[in-house]
Amino acid sequence: MAGQGKRGGGSKKTISKPATDADDSYIVFSNSKDDAKMKKSDAKAPTNKNGVNATQSNIEDAPKKPNIKQLIGGPSWTGPLPVDILHKHCTREKWQKPQYTWNQTPDGFTAQVILRAENPKTKETITLPPIKLPATHKHLAFQATAPEARQFAASYALFRVCSMRNIHMTLPPNYKDAWKGEFQELKNEDVKNGKGWMYESNPFAAKQEREEAQALMAKKREEREKQNAKEMEKAAGPGTGPSVTNGGGRNVMRGWTRVPKIDMGKRTRAQVENVVRENAVWNPNGVIISEFQCRNIVNELTGLGFRKSHVEEAVAECKDKEEVLEWLLIHVPEDDLPGWSLPEGYVAGISMATGNMKREASIKRLTESGYAVELCERAFDDCSSNEAKAAEVLQDLLVQGENLHVSKPSIYPNEDLSSTWKEEKDTLEAIFGSRFSRSSSDVYQIELAIPRTSACILRVRKSISYPKTPPILSVTSPGLPAYIRLSVIRKVVEHCNATLLEEPMVFNLVDWLEAEIPKIVENPGKLREISAGASTINENTKQTNSKKKFQRRTLPPIDWRPGSSQSLAIFSRWEAKQSMSQQQKMLAGRRALPAWTLRDSIVNTVNRHQVTIISGETGSGKSTQSVQFTLDDMIQRKLGSAANIICTQPRRISALGLADRVSDERCSTVGEEVGYAIRGESKQKPGITKITFVTTGVLLRRLQTSGGSTDDVVAALADVSHVVVDEVHERSLDTDFLLVLLRDVLSKRKDLKVILMSATLDAGVFESYFNGMCSVGKIEIQGRTFPVDDYYLDDVIRMTGSNSGSKNGNVDTEEDADFEPSIASAIQNIGMRINYNLIADAVRAIDAELGSVKGGILIFLPGTMEINRTLDAIRSIPNIHALPLHASLMSTEQRRVFPPAPAGQRKVIAATNVAETSITIEDIVAVIDTGKVKETSFDPQNNMVRLEEVWASRAACKQRRGRAGRVRAGKCYKLYTRNAEAKMAERPEPEIRRVPLEQLCLSVRAMGIMNVPSFLASALTPPESMAVGNAIDLLGRMGALDGDILTALGQHLAMIPADLRCGKLMVYGATFGCLEASLTIAAILTVKSPFISPQSKREESKAARSSFAQGQGDLLGDLRAYDEWVDLRKVSTYRDVRTWCDQYFLSSQTLNDISSNRSQYLSSLKEAGFLPPNYNSSTPSSLNAHNDNPALIRALIAGAFNPQLARIELPDKKYAASISGAVELDPEAKTIKYFNQDNGRVFVHPSSTLFDAQGFPGNAVYMSYFNKMATSKVFIRELTPFNAYTLLLFSSPPRIDTLGRGLTVDNWLRLRGWARIGMLVSRLRGMLDDVLARKIENPSGELGKVGEDVVGVVRRLVELDGLDR
């Protein structure tokens, strides 16, 4: 205590004023009475000659104790401490002051933080649970002193509420390392386990939302349990397998007696087992289970009835408890499995009914040794029904572990060997007396004398070369499991081969067996050693599934030394070209652009900074000139060979148009000095092409295949000198993704230059994103547009005199008072939708006004359907050259918009927003703007990405307007009111915040980036952490991710630009031989059903659709209708096809859209390398061998839509009397119920072809759906019925119910059946994943024998529901 008093006195002496709240964490509190005594003792202490307290003097002479900052941050630390930062953060967020609790243990001090906040409405104080590390990381919290524990607790609390921010940069070194290391790893684990809510920036709001969600879930669960209890009240009938009651008398079969039952035919099961035996791989990644986990698994599974030695063997080969259980259920022979895992009514032994009694008797004798029935049958048949030869083949298979085969013996019997056999047999009979018995001259039995073992008989059969080879042995005993009998045979034969050959040996064998069998029973050895004979499951023993890794071609780094021979040659050619008349003419045109006046500024800024942001209005020349300025500068500095400029564009037409324009300005040919690369098309020459215009997706694909780490991405850009990202203001998902990658690359490659170009003057957000990482420069270029006059909806109506169309819905009438009644009425009639008559009237009026003046008209529309309807409306106008322009067109069709119209005609272009930026159509003098755009959005009710028609932003409308003033003063006709324009958003929401993130997360993971949430958190506008977590969870449920590992299916889906469910369907279709059908269904889902349903003929339309569906489901009906339409078009006239469509209520336009989308998907599969480049839909191929198999197609649809499925519950069966007896009646449609996991009971939508269904094909007991909508009820649409084996093969792996009731899938779907069947199917699922993986390595190749076998077995199971044909 004295020392503590001295420290207190010393502190009081050296600190001039009391410490503040934020800086008192270093104080060590002590007993106040003792402190008082200390002060008294100090007062009485002797003084030295200078009159200073001697005790105090001694303290001051000693080395000074470090203050709290030095203690926490080190001697040189001057920054803030975690306690200070947390205190300020709480103050800023208007939370209460954080409170600390601490505890002292033998390991050190620990502290916890308690946060509180007052609800501004209720004034109630909300208190969060203490923020502390979980038990798994508790060791990190132990600190040497209480102040250090307090600071550590504050740093962890900061991480919990600020993990998305870079606060760790201001922390002391130790806490900074923990922030980036252990804290981040802990967060990743929590997010993966669905605990991302723990790291929300507002923990109080997260707590409230979580409590509300839990309350809602509890309410739903209670309602669901009540409903299930009510519906299952009748289901407590007697069980037929295990006991139906537990020890307390509760009926354990409650809820299981009415669930679907799975079975597997004998031949089908043999086929599955053969495939699994030959190809199964366990623990492919070589995971080693810890000793602690091993003990727990052994104890738990031994408690379930497995032998301890079996469990220990399984643990040594498997990766976790689930795989151990799977291994046991497949390997342990049926007669040694726990009772709960056996099928209902199981009886040990074999049962055959072939009618061949002699064959049955022989096989029964062979199986008595413990060999599998199937092996005995195969051996007997292969040996031409020779039982003795079959027995020898089986024994060789057991001992040597070779494949079953029959070979000609190398040693032939002779008289001497036969006499040896006879003499030994007579001797043995004399020795063993009544224990010896003969079956034939070559077979006899000896009863073994083994204590505590029921009758154990050794059957000895003469081998073909006895005694040069062991005899054929068999051990039978009623209480001995088959695999132990086989283990005995294996060990005794090995003993013979080692010590007893060449002499009569049976007596010694009997002696050895009577001594060793008890030991073998106690420790039978590994199941794998006798698996060749015990079961047909004798799988490949390899433990790793090595895959050929893609080796990327290493790109040479840039040589920045000026004056190389290649650079000098480039300079000479460039210099010679400058004097050419054609080049001078092009330069004159370039000098007229606003960008030319800033040429030197642009070049200097790019050279001085790693990142340059160029903002420029439409027509400034930023897209065409900036890249040329940069290239010309490098050429003049004799660095031409080092130049490799990649310029990204958001759309294909932009890349193509700019490549043409820039190559023309440089008097070059596209593909030489200037080139392009878009999806499916490329013109460039390595080393020759210096400027390459690419779509953003093409560059991302290049980086995506690099490997994923920052070093891999850097290597992928090793030969690139400049990356130009154009149109960054659009904030597309691909652009934001690319910026994250480039920011990481810039920290590693200081010589790489990044140029960001934006059509809007809002560079601040991009500047702040890159500031701190590298130097950023900015350039602003003024636009060069002529004046543009604006005309709004009322002006257009006056100009055209239009009042066309019926009333299209209510509009905002705030401006009606400003309009004359006729205009107001016309606006009301036109409504908020696009009026095509008004567009046609406007085109007619503009054409008349322009007269002989040349110039085109550009119409902005939201999508392709609107473009087609507009073109139909204006085609009747004379002298109009109408053209479409949208992203779905082929490159050649898109280029048609650039040349002038034919003589005497006026060009009218109907375009989507692809014409807003990047491309320049020179002769446009008038713009008609509908003010609409189709924007990607996400509907959480049906989990589907959709394009919705919404108002464009004001920034986008400004870009559209500017297109009218490129060559002369122009006019913009806005088909919306001024009030509507005022209500438009200033800028569009970044795409990363308004779309589902599954595709983005999959792309990030496909690049090899393990920590997806952390990567996306560094985006320009980070998405919500919960949205990222949900996306990763869904990817896992879809089979694209297995934990953190990207599956084969996930690799495929990452390469296909489609909704994940559509992509998954196409991958399955190509693998299972029904590609064309899958392509069509994916296109139908992307567009819509081709059937139309007029209000007055709704029932007739539904009947027409049902006539195609034939009970197979909505999508198969749509597929058949499309296929018939395609066939009809080949042989009939256009009029006949239209008549047929009208007859069956089919939309010709929708069918054409489906055909177009289908072609795009086919091109995507070719570009991804999944299909051969020369694949043609009309050419017969194994890819389409099963297009006419509806059962298989239904299964693949269900697999693609998983987890969107519902359980079908049929009512109790009813029967009617008939002459031949009772006949089962089909249930009424209204008595069939459907249940899904999220909503409980759901209902079939009235528009579905299955709305009135009384039964379902192929033993279907489940229903997949694509859309779900809630009105008065929760309805499901686009339905496809499927069976239980489809569920087992394409949903989550099944889990075994250890009470013996069956299997569970996805933790809510139940199936009654044998556990071993479930495990066989689970193994088959894994092998199917391997087939898909091999398909990735060689997408256009054949599946190979193994792949064909696996796919064939899976196809058979889903077609026949596991039964034999």
Side-chain angles (χ1 to χ4, degrees), residues 1016-1173:
L1016 294 180
S1018 62
L1020 187 60
T1021 305
E1024 291 290 336
S1025 59
M1026 191 64 71
V1028 177
N1030 291 342
I1032 294 174
D1033 179 63
L1034 181 59
L1035 289 174
R1037 297 188 68 183
M1038 289 190 69
L1041 291 178
D1042 181 7
D1044 289 332
I1045 305 301
L1046 188 69
T1047 64
L1049 176 62
Q1051 294 183 51
H1052 281 305
L1053 297 182
M1055 302 293 285
I1056 301 173
D1059 177 87
L1060 290 180
R1061 292 170 292 177
C1062 295
K1064 190 174 178 182
L1065 178 61
M1066 290 185 283
V1067 169
Y1068 281 160
T1071 305
F1072 284 88
C1074 44
L1075 172 64
E1076 291 295 317
S1078 299
L1079 279 169
T1080 302
I1081 293 173
I1084 290 169
L1085 293 169
T1086 304
V1087 182
K1088 61 180 178 180
S1089 171
F1091 288 93
I1092 55 178
S1093 182
Q1095 186 74 26
S1096 59
K1097 296 184 178 181
R1098 185 162 291 176
E1099 291 303 317
E1100 293 91 332
S1101 170
K1102 185 176 176 181
R1105 191 180 186 192
S1106 297
S1107 68
F1108 288 99
Q1110 298 178 0
Q1112 297 285 340
D1114 300 328
L1115 295 176
L1116 265 73
D1118 295 347
L1119 169 65
R1120 284 174 176 162
Y1122 175 84
D1123 287 343
E1124 287 195 27
W1125 174 75
V1126 170
D1127 293 339
L1128 193 62
R1129 284 203 309 173
K1130 296 176 182 177
V1131 297
S1132 302
T1133 63
Y1134 175 77
R1135 177 176 294 179
D1136 290 341
V1137 173
R1138 286 298 296 261
T1139 302
W1140 180 83
C1141 288
D1142 293 340
Q1143 178 185 351
Y1144 289 103
F1145 297 90
L1146 289 162
S1147 166
S1148 296
Q1149 182 60 55
T1150 303
L1151 287 166
N1152 280 301
D1153 290 344
I1154 292 170
S1155 179
S1156 175
N1157 271 271
R1158 195 178 177 283
S1159 298
Q1160 291 180 43
Y1161 281 147
L1162 187 59
S1163 297
S1164 297
L1165 291 174
K1166 290 181 180 179
E1167 290 162 15
F1170 197 73
L1171 295 179

Side-chain angles (χ1 to χ4, degrees), residues 879-892:
N879 301 323
I880 291 295
H881 180 57
L883 296 169
L885 176 60
H886 52 81
S888 300
L889 292 174
M890 299 295 290
S891 303
T892 52

Side-chain angles (χ1 to χ4, degrees), residues 313-366:
E313 180 182 354
V315 166
E317 295 197 19
C318 299
K319 64 180 180 180
D320 52 30
K321 186 184 76 174
E322 287 71 24
E323 191 171 85
V324 169
L325 181 59
E326 195 172 323
W327 192 97
L328 290 168
L329 287 170
I330 290 179
H331 284 78
V332 175
E334 296 171 12
D335 56 357
D336 204 29
L337 282 170
W340 61 264
S341 67
L342 296 173
E344 297 175 1
Y346 172 80
V347 178
I350 64 171
S351 175
M352 297 174 292
T354 63
N356 187 337
M357 302 300 293
K358 182 178 179 181
R359 181 178 187 275
E360 290 177 13
S362 295
I363 292 175
K364 184 174 182 180
R365 284 190 293 272
L366 292 172

Side-chain angles (χ1 to χ4, degrees), residues 659-673:
D660 287 339
R661 176 69 177 269
V662 173
S663 61
D664 286 345
E665 290 184 353
R666 300 185 72 80
C667 297
S668 176
T669 304
V670 175
E672 297 293 328
E673 188 181 34

Side-chain angles (χ1 to χ4, degrees), residues 508-547:
N508 291 328
L509 289 179
V510 171
D511 185 54
W512 188 90
L513 286 169
E514 290 178 341
E516 296 297 324
I517 282 181
K519 300 177 184 177
I520 296 173
V521 171
E522 184 69 24
N523 184 17
K526 293 184 177 182
L527 287 169
R528 188 181 292 282
E529 293 176 353
I530 51 87
S531 61
S535 169
T536 53
I537 307 301
N538 178 28
E539 77 285 345
N540 196 325
T541 58
K542 61 184 177 182
Q543 293 300 302
T544 58
N545 187 16
S546 60
K547 297 177 183 178

Side-chain angles (χ1 to χ4, degrees), residues 65-86:
K65 298 285 185 181
N67 61 28
I68 186 61
K69 285 194 174 184
Q70 295 171 337
L71 178 67
I72 301 300
S76 60
W77 182 257
T78 58
L81 296 179
V83 167
D84 305 330
I85 300 173
L86 180 61

